[in-house]
Amino acid sequence: MIRRKLVAAALFFTLFGAIAFMPPFALLFRTNTRVLGVPLEAAYIFVVWILLILGARWFSRVLPDDNAAPADAQQDRSS
Amino acid sequence: MPTDILIAEDEPSILEALSFVLQRAGWTVQSVTDGEAVMQAVRRMRPRVLVLDVMMPKKSGFEVLKQIRADASLRALPVLVLTAKGQQQDKRVAEELGADRFITKPYSNVDVIDTVRELLEANTAESSP
Amino acid sequence: MTLTADLVIATSVAYVGLLFLVAFLADRHTRRRAGGFLRSPFVYTLSISVYCTSWTFYGAVGSAARTGLEFVTIYLGPTLVFIGWWFILRRLVHISHSQRITSIADLLSSRFGKSGVLGVLVTLLAVIAIAPYIALQLKAVTSSIEAIAGASEFGRGSLEGWDEGGLAFGVAAGMAAFTILFGTRNVDANEQHHGVVAAIALEAVVKLTALIAVGVFVIYAGGALEGVFTGAAAAGIDIYDTDTFGDRWIASMLLAAAAIICLPRQFQVTVVENSDESHLRTASWAFPAYMLAMSLFILPIALYGLTIMPAGSNPDMFTLTLPLAAGQGGLALFAFIGGFSSATSMIILESIALSIMVSNHIVVPLMLRFGAEGHVGSDHGVRRLLLRARRVSIVLILFLGFGYFYLTRSSDALAPIGLISFTGVAQFLPAILAALFWRDASAKAAIAAISTGFLVWLWASFLPSFATSSPSVAAIMAEGPHGISWLRPQALFGLDMLDPLAHGVFWSLFANTTVLILGSLVTRQSALEHVQAALFIDMSGRSPSEPGSLHGSATTDDLLLVARRVLGQQRAFDLFSEEARQTGTAWTSLEPTPAFINRLERELAGSIGAASAHIMLSKVVSGGEVSLEEVMRMADETQQVIEHSQALERTSAQLRATAEKLEAANLQLREVDRQKDEFLSQVSHEVRTPMTAIRAFSEILLSERDLDESSVRSFVDTIHKESLRLTSLLDEILDVSALEKGDRVWEANLFDPERSLDQALRVCDALALHNGTTLQVTQRVDSAHVSGDADRLSQVLINLISNAIKYNNAPSPTVWIRSFIDGPHYCVEISDNGAGIPEAEQPRIFDKFYRGQRGRAAAYAGAGLGLPISREILARMRGTLELVPGAAEGACFCMRLPLEMDARATG
């Protein structure tokens, strides 16, 4: 994937995360169902949370090196 | 009596000395003391040689020389230019204007006599045959 | 194991000692430049988890017990911000690094044209908004000690007689001392505190382990996850009771997302303490994972607590009371330390961050305004003042927190208090987002927006928290101020269907954002703002062009002085050495280039904030603010090019002018040279002429033997005459050159010019007699006084009279002389009846070497220097010599000298 698409993907990933956590989407899981005794909505939130963390981990590795930025930082640090 | 030499010189003592030595050398000498008088005297006297000082009142020696060389009847007149300025530039100007000889003051009397003699002889050689 | 208050306090003190040791070792470690694991992205991530305070440790459980799943929003918001790190945090960190930003106040101040006002505003509001948050920590620590103390009969121990307020005061005082010891040992470059960060990271591990330990205990005691949840359901406790995904959910998620950016301590750890921008990559998933781990057991602990604890027990303390109730003293102590950890880490970092803001944005500007020079130049320097200011502000901040705690102590839930703070600091969010993304946001609008949002917050969120302790506040909440119902704090404009939290968040952020947008649309940015905005937004434009830079008359010594005061001897020395090394110049010949000043400004900004650094350097460098032109020049590249070409034009115009001047000077020189040549040529002529006569006659005398006596005599006479002429000529030449150079000393005596005239007449009598000329003196002055040289005047008069005699060729030559007083002048007039001077020659007779017509004919011709010399002499005596025009016959010269008035009066 080219850099621009990766950045766009990261943006939509974040936005989808936000939407997933919010009504009305979250209301879909507000049913009186339990998974191992845990209410579905709680389980849902934590599962999405875990998925987001895994996704973020992937993005943190593939997002382009903002090459100018670390270079600058190094320079600043050395000065 | 024809005039051998016409002297154009404004300094009285120099004129006196020149006249004396040239006369003693055996020539007839006439003189004028300013630039304007020169042309007239040359035409009237028809001298065989003109001794011309550069720094003269009314008209400078160079101007006189220029006029002489511009006049067809006078063009052949031998001219000895005397100058007290002693600069190379003057000599060059004199040569450009057609002076035959150029002597810087103070001069040796012998030099002047020899030079005048040369001019007279060359003139004779040219004109007599 | 029986827990007592004494034991937990002793444990706490020991724990603090451990933290201090860790901080000390870490500081020493980094000072040796080892870096190592302390600079790893995981330590960075752990330090960010200072976000999870005792609010999480105790309050989240309480919140879960009261409102179910809602507590997770506090962690979901930051999770979203971190997984979207690329868009906000990355920019924030990068900008802050490149601009040496020290705090959130500094960030906003810097972006909005290094505005001092904005810095002060943000600082003040942050201090106010954080007070409830500090109060929350004090309350949590106090409550936890109380919980342990209340658990057994002898639990209070030495706390006997201390009420809750006293205990909280003690905690606050202890925290203040601790923070001062921790955070203000030195003013660090860039405000990075490696020791503190290391201690915070340790605390992060401790609190997470403690919470997980309690969680595991609960799962174990409750019979696995299913057991806990079904047990709770069986006891009639169900999270379905609450409206989970409602307006509060959205509002608190938004607030938490804002808080992770805007909270001063979060900005400090995430942005300022960041030592490598790539660490953010790791933190983007690791920090959400940490929060997930923290949240995982909250719900089970809350439900289990609700299930087994007696009704009416404080759910905020379940983390502590559940192990206590189960007789697990060790676990309870560990839990207490976990809670203590989370509180101390927050208090330490928050007060350090706030104290930096207070000292950089309030104390330093005040110092600069009042007696700046004295402090900048004083022996103790700025550093000491800064440290003192920070210590004072730490105490102030903690006791503001204590004050809030004291006033609201009757309310018992922790989480609502934290949300009030969150709403307060969230007022910075619109301005920060605008700073990063909107070029046209203006400082005026930002100031107005933050103020507006904050006023709404004070009214709708902050004030209601006092309702339980103040009847008048409760009255306002019920009926509105003076009965104006649409101003009721929790139902502004009649909006009463929202939850109070959502209500406050909505109105404050709505007003804030609206003012920011509309304000920016109608106001104009200053030049510096424009520059800074471009810099903040155009992250890709990392050209070496240095915006808003200063340059002026400062010497390197001035700069070093300032740097040493602020950064300290060693750092200033390092900085200057580095610069000298980079530019390849010697230390002593270091030039204060704009680039270097800029860099120095950034370094100073790292210690005292952008606005203060700018002001400070401005003072040193130019004695004032940067000019608008200067800023604009730096701002715009096009502008720069235009300026550049203008400068080139100016330079070439200057070159042209110089060339013209040179040419003129050259011409003048050439003219002088020509005049000199002319003069020499004249001199040569004048010398050669008599020499010619002398030589010619001498040769005649030498070569001609038969000359008659009279001729010889005449020739010798001429030679003699010419040699005299030569001598006088040389005298005249020397005279004229001396007069022109002016090097002869002039005697300026008072004398009677009549005596000079007498002398001249005596000298000229002989000549007149020789020439047969009659001298007639027609008028004399009795006596007069003039100033000058009597002999010189005689010389002039002799020259004039002898000229009149020599050049007179009339049949009966006569020269008339008269002296008279004409107004303020003494005059002598000499006229003759000769031929006169032709009109054409008149203008030239005073020229050097010019001899008139009659002069040439005369026997005694001079070199033509007599008149110029005479005129020069008279000029030296402030007199004049003129040819009187219009004489009927002959020539008439008139000389004038100014009379000396005093002498005339007395004489």
Side-chain angles (χ1 to χ4, degrees), chain C residues 96-120:
Chain C
S96 302
H97 271 166
S98 60
Q99 297 299 304
R100 288 277 190 274
I101 300 293
T102 59
S103 66
I104 191 147
D106 198 22
L107 176 89
L108 289 175
S109 152
S110 182
R111 155 61 179 81
F112 291 102
K114 306 194 180 183
S115 157
V117 178
L118 196 56
V120 171

Side-chain angles (χ1 to χ4, degrees), chain C residues 776-780 815-819 829:
Chain C
Q776 280 192 8
V777 180
T778 56
Q779 186 186 354
R780 290 293 298 267
V815 173
W816 293 276
I817 297 145
R818 69 184 189 108
S819 65
E829 209 172 77

Side-chain angles (χ1 to χ4, degrees), chain C residues 617-690:
Chain C
L617 272 189
S618 300
K619 283 200 169 202
V620 176
V621 171
S622 52
E625 262 299 299
V626 274
S627 67
L628 183 67
E629 290 89 331
E630 205 166 13
V631 175
M632 288 313 288
R633 187 171 67 74
M634 298 298 171
D636 209 321
E637 213 171 326
T638 324
Q639 188 74 9
Q640 218 165 8
V641 171
I642 292 169
E643 282 282 335
H644 188 63
S645 70
Q646 279 173 350
L648 270 181
E649 249 168 57
R650 272 199 300 276
T651 313
S652 66
Q654 281 169 352
L655 278 177
R656 265 202 306 280
T658 312
E660 275 164 20
K661 268 187 224 158
L662 267 178
E663 202 162 337
N666 215 350
L667 266 178
Q668 213 172 343
L669 269 179
R670 253 181 279 159
E671 174 62 19
V672 168
D673 197 48
R674 197 190 58 73
Q675 281 174 357
K676 191 200 72 186
D677 280 354
E678 183 75 7
F679 180 78
L680 282 178
S681 152
Q682 287 279 3
V683 167
S684 165
H685 179 261
E686 297 303 321
V687 173
R688 278 168 193 268
T689 301

Side-chain angles (χ1 to χ4, degrees), chain B residues 10-14 16-17 20-21 24 55-58 84-87 104-110, chain C residues 677 681-682 684-685 688-689 691-693 695-697 699-700 704 706-707 714-715 718 722 725 851 853 856:
Chain B
D10 64 322
E11 277 290 328
S13 43
I14 296 175
E16 188 186 352
F20 182 87
V21 293
R24 290 285 280 207
M55 291 281 282
M56 279 192 302
K58 292 186 183 168
K85 280 194 174 175
Q87 284 163 324
T104 308
K105 295 175 183 176
Y107 50 81
S108 149
N109 289 342
V110 181
Chain C
D677 280 354
S681 152
Q682 287 279 3
S684 165
H685 179 261
R688 278 168 193 268
T689 301
M691 286 295 287
T692 307
R695 183 171 175 187
F697 282 113
E699 283 182 7
I700 292 168
E704 308 293 330
D706 53 342
L707 289 171
S714 158
F715 292 166
T718 304
E722 291 293 338
R725 178 176 156 194
R851 282 174 301 172
Q853 188 55 44
R856 293 180 181 273

Side-chain angles (χ1 to χ4, degrees), chain C residues 771-831:
Chain C
N771 280 29
T773 305
T774 316
L775 282 187
Q776 280 192 8
V777 180
T778 56
Q779 186 186 354
R780 290 293 298 267
V781 177
D782 290 339
S783 79
H785 289 279
V786 296
S787 171
D789 187 323
D791 289 341
R792 287 278 178 179
L793 183 59
S794 296
Q795 188 189 338
V796 170
L797 290 168
I798 291 167
N799 179 260
L800 291 174
I801 296 166
S802 61
N803 276 354
I805 295 168
K806 279 188 284 186
Y807 303 132
N808 193 334
N809 46 8
S812 53
T814 310
V815 173
W816 293 276
I817 297 145
R818 69 184 189 108
S819 65
F820 57 97
I821 304 286
D822 178 23
H825 290 106
Y826 168 80
C827 308
V828 179
E829 209 172 77
I830 293 144
S831 52

Side-chain angles (χ1 to χ4, degrees), chain C residues 551-571:
Chain C
H551 56 83
S553 52
T555 65
T556 311
D557 285 346
D558 293 338
L559 297 178
L560 180 61
L561 187 75
V562 173
R564 226 173 46 202
R565 299 297 173 213
V566 178
L567 303 172
Q569 183 80 36
Q570 189 55 43
R571 268 202 56 73

